[in-house]
Amino acid sequence: MCVTAIVTLAITLIFRTSFTTNFAQGVISAFGAYVASFVITKWEFPVLIAIPVSMIVSMGVAILVDVGLFRRGRYVNALSKQIITMGLISIVTGLTPVIFGEVEQYMINSIVKDNFTIDVPGDVDISVTYNALVCVAITAVIIPLIFILLRYSKWGLSVRATASNEYIAGMMGINTHVVTAVSWGLAGALGALAAYMRASEVKVVTTYFMTDYQVSAFLAGILGGFSTFHGPVICALLIPLAENLVMAIFNILGLSELTRWSKVIIYAIALVIIFAKPQGIFGKKIEKKV
Amino acid sequence: MNRYLQKNYALFNREVKTDDKFTEGIRKLVRTPSLQYLLFGVLMCVVGFLATQKILPYSWQSAFASTFAYAIASIGFCLLMGYSGLASLGTGGFIGIGTYAVHYVMVEAKLPFFVALLAAIGVSVLIGLIVGFISLRIEGIYLVILTLALSEILKTLYAAIEPKLTLSMKDALIFGQRLPTTMSLTLVMVFLVIVMIITSNLINSPTGRAMLAMKNSTAAAQAMGISLIKYRLMSFVICTAYASITGVMLMMVMRSADATDPTGYYALITSLNILAAVIIGGYKSIWGAVFGTFIMYGIKLVIFNQIPFLANNSLIITLASGVLVIIIAMYYPGGLAQLLLEAKTKISAIIKKMKEDKYGKDLG
């Protein structure tokens, strides 16, 4: 849930400033996780150093993408940007084993070890790891922080201006290139953080392990409406909640074999909502001029 | 003569030999698209035959078969994107329709192959209609994400129903005969050629014109009396139907499918590869779509696997295809088809120039 929220925020940032869906977000995040794993296993640094290092590397990669590719193309429009990000998937997938070696399994430690159990009335006790709590805490700090920055800081103002109209923002004296690059960097860093949080749960890093989150993030984005910053993030928090709710309902009704359908049900409901309200739950309707 | 005509003189001044009726007739015949497709199909069948006789590498057989199975989906996508101006990332999910049709009709119900094909097309038409209706309300990038979500729903659905499919040897029957793996390329080519001919005729018919009009401006197209709903639904239906045929073909060729595989048929990466194939080839050309698919899927299986160094370092190919996609997206939006056309124009201009140098200017 926290992972989805952070990934969604990253994707929304890029969508708003670059006007494209970044399909490479997942692999760039995974690249960050590889870096973290490399730093921990090869150089034996503590986790608290590995996470910032991976975030900085991912940030670098993302900024490189924006500065090196998006600004240079002669015919760059929304669709070709999407295709460039798809090309990036292949490149990062191809490069990762070259850089980090193919054979080794990449493992990642939890941020904090140990777990405790909560007694609930019922058969199964809920086991909570401190790791998960730390992840929730990090998310609870990072996301409000970015929203406060977006709302009240000068940087936030320039991001919002660029998002609403890049051309006019440029005429008003905002360096839109810097704004876009910073957004990409921030998205890369957030991606790496999310990937580490995810990896600390599943322990093994693969190139595609963030793709599912990326897809959920896209769905959350369109469900919440990409025209706002808060909409996608709220929906990113809502979707897993709703999914767990459906699972819980099935469990209470004693239909536990139906729980594997819960994701399908939630996605279908999301589709119906989008069909009814194409601009998203929180989105503003934009009048199109012919 | 104005400047444009002068510049492209070579294009307008094609040599036509009128004295030799026979050569001219053959020329005309070769220029007919349907015949070109047919020739291509026969050629590939011959390659397949030579591969089974081990004159050419044996692995080419299945490599070409799976590549051209994907090409069917690419052609559908080419029609959707190049002619209707709509984009979708649902290809992976739509391919699944075909594989499950094969599973339920041929493996479970033991019915003939063509029933499976019809079932796949029937279901995909339904899904295509749904997506088409959605596309009336949502456009551009949002539609892309929505089809992506739809594909994800289908994928989750497949994983929930039956994650692993296999088509055993005794169930792969066509006309009551067992289909040997050596014949799978022929089967795929038959369908690919049919799809190519249908699509090329469609593009050059009033329907194709209407779709092009719709792509360039929905408002203007509607003003000209083109029904948006009809053609949008039509293009989505065709695209999904082709993708489901791809699914059927893949099942007949590869004999298995896995919904849980992150790089499998239904994954996002398939949809992205098909999109990339159409972009590389040139999104308005059928040959481009086929060639693009060959670059995305076939080149690795057919050529690079024969070179030991590259076969061991298959990731270099992934890397190279990524670089290629980016370069084409950045500098050649028309794809390889456009590149080829430009090259052709330039070469014929050079030939013209050489002739002028030799014989003097044509003043006629």
Side-chain angles (χ1 to χ4, degrees), chain A residues 28-29 31-33 53-63 184-185 188-189 191-192:
Chain A
I28 291 177
S29 312
F31 188 76
V53 168
S54 72
M55 283 169 77
I56 289 166
V57 171
S58 272
M59 187 191 260
V61 171
I63 291 178
W184 270 86

Side-chain angles (χ1 to χ4, degrees), chain A residues 26 32-33 65 71 95 98 143 150 152 174 186-187 202 217-219 233 235 265 267 271 283 285 289:
Chain A
V65 171
R71 261 185 232 164
L95 267 184
V98 176
I143 290 184
L150 275 174
Y152 297 108
I174 293 168
L186 196 59
V202 294
F218 285 140
L219 188 68
V233 178
C235 281
I265 294 169
Y267 274 25
L271 270 193
K285 191 156 189 165
K289 287 180 188 141

Side-chain angles (χ1 to χ4, degrees), chain A residues 18-20 28 61 64 88-89 105 107 129 154-155 170 186 212 222 230 238 244 251 268-269 286:
Chain A
S18 278
F19 309 98
T20 187
I28 291 177
V61 171
L64 207 69
L88 274 175
I89 296 181
Q105 278 277 341
M107 307 289 276
T129 53
K154 207 174 169 186
W155 167 77
L186 196 59
D212 283 348
I222 194 163
H230 60 270
L238 275 180
N244 284 331
N251 276 331
I269 293 172
I286 299 163

Side-chain angles (χ1 to χ4, degrees), chain B residues 352-363:
Chain B
K352 175 84 187 153
K353 187 98 195 305
M354 275 165 64
K355 273 188 185 165
E356 272 180 9
D357 288 346
K358 210 170 176 187
Y359 303 118
K361 226 168 201 170
D362 182 7
L363 296 170

Side-chain angles (χ1 to χ4, degrees), chain B residues 1 8 12 14 35 74 88 91 105 137 144 146 155 174 235 289 335 339 353:
Chain B
M1 209 194 289
N8 294 314
F12 298 107
R14 279 226 183 97
L35 210 74
S74 296
S88 122
T91 322
V105 175
R137 284 180 68 88
V144 174
L146 208 71
K155 193 182 138 195
I174 288 183
S235 38
L339 211 65
K353 187 98 195 305

